[in-house]
């Protein structure tokens, strides 16, 4: 290869490299879509993150929350948060997570208050969602915490103290570790012949008598 | 049979009569080849439809299944939840063929009913840790490059009722919170590139536009790899109950993440720990701790025929059929046992065998009225072997609710009836 030819080759390779780096840094833009206006973001971006970022300014007391709860929540969730009929329970169950039939509620299972605020504001009361004001949401969440013995009767919940309220099960969650704790399921030689004793039938779906009014019926949630 | 279902009773009688078998004693024809005494009227007589004109082309502008298939529908187990707007129904797996779930049979799970959204009024917003917060219309999305992909969506709670033992008689109910569909949409990466992710962008929050405002956290790494924002399923617009006009498609990961009626994606630096990833969709173990963000669906399989809703009707040669799938990759192999897990045979996989898609398997077998204990075991491309239910319970306990991928056992009796059983 002549000198000049190799110089041209080097130049071309160099240009290609620059072009490739350029493409990697600045993704090609389609120019589709338009900028979101600040008012539009304010209207939709109402979520609250786990650490409380996104909470709107406001406040509400347990007492105010009790009134809202009785008027707008108790018909489904029960006067004491026990859950009317098969509607979800919002209180009780503390210390039951290792029990044969655990009861997963705000007091026994939820890890933080911010998601409770977020969830209540985005979808409750069920069937009439997004009708609670920021203050009403603080109040009803304060009442739910009080029902679960997490805050005292005279408590006021607000955007400054919400994230510091400690939940009983705050440290009860761990990351997905299946690839380590269930490593044995990656089994190179699954047994094909004479793998076990003659099996016995230990349970039958026909015996469970699963009827629609079976209160003990398991739940999908 | 209708009365049984509409009153919500899920009795064995209901299930069996649904399959066309009334009561217990059924005389099973011995052999298809047995000489019949009289000529078959289906052959010897002229049928109405061989003589008269059928409906013209205008009668069925949008075609529906034959009236003889009216029993093939999604079914609800009414006692599961308080109201049908916060409930699930189940795909009739025993009545399907191939790997595609027809759109109208795809199971449903809503938290505030089916939103009916006018696509002209639907918007998708991307905001948070981006260079440029953007708004897209449905027309905008339809001008972008798109891809189609066949993949399964399994609810994390599929088989959730079976943790403590055999409960429901029918693979529709034990395994029917799954569907397999060809989804078409825009790769999420294109939209995120358009908005420009900030360097500290690590997680996204996907939010639905229905009254539940379903919100779930998704790592950006997954979002940039194979996530689609789909507007079509099986070649036509999404069905309302599947999130019309726009839903997330997150191959291999639990169904709750596939937010329907998707209206907003917020980019953040940490997961949100939303209600559906703390109070729900976390897996409670026997020690009282719960696993969180368990996104991947483990390899799993189920024999759909025979099964309680699809009993054996003939002695002699039969075809066993089922589905296998894995959220980690493709199905590599499926083994079938007819003796409750003592001995296994490798089943035949039916093409196509696709990554993170339901895969169909078959096994030919001869049956002479002996009792069978039917099981299937999926092995995926990462080498994961679907575990026995007891093995799974030893690690996870029985209160997990979610992610039950243990091996299913069906008992086939001498008269062909099939029951969901627990083996020990």
């Amino acid at each position: 290869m002549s000198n000049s030819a190799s110089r041209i080759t080097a130049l071309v390779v160099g240009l290609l490299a620059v072009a490739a780096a350029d493409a990697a840094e600045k993704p090609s833009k389609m120019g589709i879509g338009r900028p979101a206006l600040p008012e539009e973001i304010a209207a939709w971006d109402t979520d609250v993150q786990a650490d409380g970022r996104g909470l709107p300014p406001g406040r509400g007391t347990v007492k105010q929350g009790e009134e809202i709860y009785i008027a707008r929540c108790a018909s489904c969730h029960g006067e004491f948060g026990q859950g009317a009929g098969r509607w979800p329970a919002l209180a009780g169950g503390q210390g039951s997570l290792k029990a044969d039939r655990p009861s997963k509620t705000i007091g026994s299972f939820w890890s933080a208050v911010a998601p409770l605020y977020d969830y209540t504001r985005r979808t409750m009361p069920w069937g009439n969602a997004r009708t609670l004001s920021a203050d009403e949401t603080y109040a009803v969440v304060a009442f739910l915490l009080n029902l679960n013995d997490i805050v005292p009767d005279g408590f006021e919940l607000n955007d400054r103290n919400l994230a510091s309220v400690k939940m009983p099960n705050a440290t009860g969650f761990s990351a997905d570790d299946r690839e380590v704790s269930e490593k044995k399921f990656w089994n190179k030689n699954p047994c094909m012949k004479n793998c076990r004793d003659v099996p016995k039938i230990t349970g039958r779906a026909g015996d469970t008598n699963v009827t629609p009014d079976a209160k003990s019926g398991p739940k999908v949630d | 049979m209708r009365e049984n279902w509409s009153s919500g009773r899920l009795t064995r009688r209901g299930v069996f009569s649904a399959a066309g078998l009334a009561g217990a004693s059924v005389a099973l024809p011995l052999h298809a080849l047995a000489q019949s005494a009289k000529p078959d009227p289906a052959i010897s007589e002229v049928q109405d439809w061989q003589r008269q004109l059928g409906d013209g082309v205008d009668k069925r502008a949008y075609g529906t299944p034959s009236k003889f298939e009216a029993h093939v529908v999604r079914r609800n187990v009414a006692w599961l939840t308080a109201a049908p707007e916060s409930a699930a129904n189940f795909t009739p797996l025993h009545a399907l063929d191939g790997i595609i779930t027809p759109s109208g049979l795809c199971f449903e799970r809503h938290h505030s009913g089916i939103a009916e959204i006018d696509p002209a009024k639907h918007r998708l917003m991307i905001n948070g840790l981006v260079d440029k917060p953007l708004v897209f219309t449905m027309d905008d999305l339809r001008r972008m490059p798109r891809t189609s992909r066949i993949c399964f969506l399994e609810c994390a709670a599929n088989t959730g009722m079976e943790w403590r033992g055999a409960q429901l008689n029918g693979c529709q109910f034990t395994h029917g919170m799954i569907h397999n569909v060809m989804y078409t949409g825009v790769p999420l990466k294109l939209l995120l590139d358009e908005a420009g992710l900030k360097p500290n962008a690590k997680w996204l929050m996907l939010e639905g536009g229905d009254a539940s405002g379903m919100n779930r956290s998704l790592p950006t790494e997954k979002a940039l790899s194979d996530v689609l924002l789909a507007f079509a399923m099986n070649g036509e617009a999404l069905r309302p109950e599947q999130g019309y006009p726009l839903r997330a498609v997150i191959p291999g990961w639990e169904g709750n993440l596939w937010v329907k009626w998707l209206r907003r994606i917020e980019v953040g630096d940490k997961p949100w720990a939303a209600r559906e990833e703390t109070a729900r969709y976390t897996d409670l173990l026997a020690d009282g701790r719960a696993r969180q963000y368990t996104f991947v669906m483990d390899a799993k399989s189920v024999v759909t025929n025979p099964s309680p809703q699809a009993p054996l009707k003939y002695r002699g040669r039969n075809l066993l059929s089922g589905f296998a799938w894995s959220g980690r990759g493709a199905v590599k192999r499926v083994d079938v046992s007819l003796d409750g897990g003592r001995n296994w045979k490798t089943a035949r996989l039916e093409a196509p065998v696709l990554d993170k898609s339901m895969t169909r398997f078959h096994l030919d077998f001869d049956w002479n009225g002996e009792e069978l204990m039917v099981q299937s075991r999926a092995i995926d491309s990462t080498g994961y072997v679907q575990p026995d239910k007891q093995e799974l319970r030893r690690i996870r306990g029985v209160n997990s609710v979610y992610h039950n991928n243990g091996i299913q056992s069906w008992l086939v009796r001498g008269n062909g009836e099939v029951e969901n059983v627990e083996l020990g």
Side-chain angles (χ1 to χ4, degrees), chain B residues 74-220:
Chain B
R74 299 181 283 219
R75 293 189 192 280
N76 176 11
V77 176
W79 52 257
L80 283 175
T81 55
E85 297 85 3
S86 167
N89 62 16
F90 301 82
T91 305
L93 298 178
H94 61 290
L96 301 183
D97 261 296
I99 60 167
I100 297 290
T101 315
S103 299
L105 296 178
C106 292
F107 85 97
E108 304 166 71
R109 172 47 168 139
H110 324 300
H111 293 257
S112 291
I114 302 168
E116 288 274 5
I117 297 181
D118 174 354
K121 292 188 184 161
H122 191 72
R123 303 287 179 271
L124 174 71
M125 182 187 287
I126 299 183
N127 73 307
L129 298 176
V130 291
D131 298 330
K132 212 168 40 158
L134 292 172
V135 171
F136 302 96
T137 62
M138 290 307 299
D139 283 346
D140 289 340
L141 299 178
R142 287 180 170 278
R143 287 192 289 145
M144 296 177 184
R146 67 183 73 166
T147 9
S148 294
R149 166 164 196 177
I150 296 173
C151 50
F152 76 85
L153 181 167
E154 184 182 16
C155 176
N158 198 21
T159 322
M161 287 90 83
E162 304 287 315
W163 274 107
R164 287 167 175 275
Q167 285 270 356
L168 293 162
N169 253 330
C171 67
Q172 179 164 18
F173 305 106
T174 57
H175 290 75
M177 285 203 280
I178 187 167
H179 70 238
N180 203 60
V181 152
M182 180 185 278
Y183 279 106
T184 305
V186 180
L188 177 52
K189 181 177 190 306
L190 292 180
L191 295 167
L192 295 176
D193 285 349
E194 199 72 8
L197 291 179
K198 297 245 203 251
N200 55 339
K202 291 282 177 289
W203 287 82
L204 310 183
M205 189 272 289
L206 274 52
E207 181 177 76
D210 65 324
S212 81
M214 175 59 61
N215 65 325
R216 284 298 306 258
S217 307
L218 181 72
T220 44

Side-chain angles (χ1 to χ4, degrees), chain B residues 100-374:
Chain B
I100 297 290
T101 315
S103 299
L105 296 178
C106 292
F107 85 97
E108 304 166 71
R109 172 47 168 139
H110 324 300
H111 293 257
S112 291
I114 302 168
E116 288 274 5
I117 297 181
D118 174 354
K121 292 188 184 161
H122 191 72
R123 303 287 179 271
L124 174 71
M125 182 187 287
I126 299 183
N127 73 307
L129 298 176
V130 291
D131 298 330
K132 212 168 40 158
L134 292 172
V135 171
F136 302 96
T137 62
M138 290 307 299
D139 283 346
D140 289 340
L141 299 178
R142 287 180 170 278
R143 287 192 289 145
M144 296 177 184
R146 67 183 73 166
T147 9
S148 294
R149 166 164 196 177
I150 296 173
C151 50
F152 76 85
L153 181 167
E154 184 182 16
C155 176
N158 198 21
T159 322
M161 287 90 83
E162 304 287 315
W163 274 107
R164 287 167 175 275
Q167 285 270 356
L168 293 162
N169 253 330
C171 67
Q172 179 164 18
F173 305 106
T174 57
H175 290 75
M177 285 203 280
I178 187 167
H179 70 238
N180 203 60
V181 152
M182 180 185 278
Y183 279 106
T184 305
V186 180
L188 177 52
K189 181 177 190 306
L190 292 180
L191 295 167
L192 295 176
D193 285 349
E194 199 72 8
L197 291 179
K198 297 245 203 251
N200 55 339
K202 291 282 177 289
W203 287 82
L204 310 183
M205 189 272 289
L206 274 52
E207 181 177 76
D210 65 324
S212 81
M214 175 59 61
N215 65 325
R216 284 298 306 258
S217 307
L218 181 72
T220 44
E221 202 189 333
K222 176 72 172 174
L224 294 171
S225 66
D226 60 356
V227 172
L228 295 182
L229 302 192
F231 39 75
M233 63 192 290
N234 292 338
E236 61 181 356
L238 292 177
R239 293 289 167 88
E241 66 272 28
Q242 302 299 339
Y244 179 90
L246 190 66
R247 88 169 309 164
V249 170
I250 307 184
W253 287 22
E254 65 184 22
N256 182 254
L257 288 160
W258 300 42
V259 173
K260 299 190 279 191
W261 310 291
L262 182 70
R263 75 162 190 180
R264 191 167 73 95
I265 296 174
E266 183 170 335
V267 183
D269 53 1
K270 286 189 197 151
W272 263 249
R275 184 257 191 171
E276 310 294 350
E277 43 211 29
T278 53
R280 300 294 141 98
Y281 301 98
T282 50
D283 315 338
L284 183 59
L285 305 178
D287 65 1
R289 297 186 58 78
R291 284 184 187 149
Q292 194 174 23
Y293 305 117
T294 45
F295 298 132
V296 178
M297 299 309 294
D298 293 311
K300 185 166 170 180
S301 68
V302 65
V303 172
T304 57
N305 307 78
S307 69
Q309 295 158 292
L312 289 182
K313 292 186 190 163
Y314 300 94
R315 295 186 183 194
R317 181 49 58 97
N318 274 282
L319 180 68
L320 179 147
S321 182
F323 286 117
W325 60 94
S326 169
R328 290 195 180 84
V331 171
K332 217 29 220 196
R333 190 176 109 195
V334 179
D335 298 329
V336 171
S337 173
L338 301 179
D339 58 6
R342 291 192 83 198
N343 297 290
W344 297 85
K345 280 187 195 136
T346 296
R348 192 164 69 236
L349 300 185
E350 182 184 281
V353 177
L354 302 170
D355 185 50
K356 301 183 182 73
S357 161
M358 286 168 84
T359 299
R360 174 65 74 174
F361 63 88
H362 297 294
L363 183 80
D364 308 304
F365 70 105
D366 292 311
W367 182 62
N368 288 305
E370 70 276 22
E371 201 173 82
L372 304 176
M373 293 178 191
V374 178

Side-chain angles (χ1 to χ4, degrees), chain A residues 30-31 34 47 86 100 122 126 171 174 182 185-186 192 194-196 200 202-203 205-206 210 212 221, chain B residues 79 81 111 135 164 194 207 213 264 266 272 289 292 296 342-344 382 385 396 402 419-420 422 424:
Chain A
M30 297 175 284
R34 62 162 178 86
D47 63 278
R86 278 170 301 132
D100 183 40
R122 75 172 55 245
W126 200 65
T171 57
S174 355
E182 300 183 0
F185 296 159
W186 279 267
M192 297 298 283
N194 285 321
C195 303
R196 53 162 300 162
K200 280 196 204 65
T202 56
V210 179
D221 51 2
Chain B
W79 52 257
T81 55
H111 293 257
V135 171
R164 287 167 175 275
E194 199 72 8
E207 181 177 76
R264 191 167 73 95
E266 183 170 335
W272 263 249
R289 297 186 58 78
Q292 194 174 23
V296 178
R342 291 192 83 198
N343 297 290
W344 297 85
T382 72
V385 183
R396 304 206 194 151
Y402 306 102
E419 188 178 5
N420 176 9
E422 194 67 39

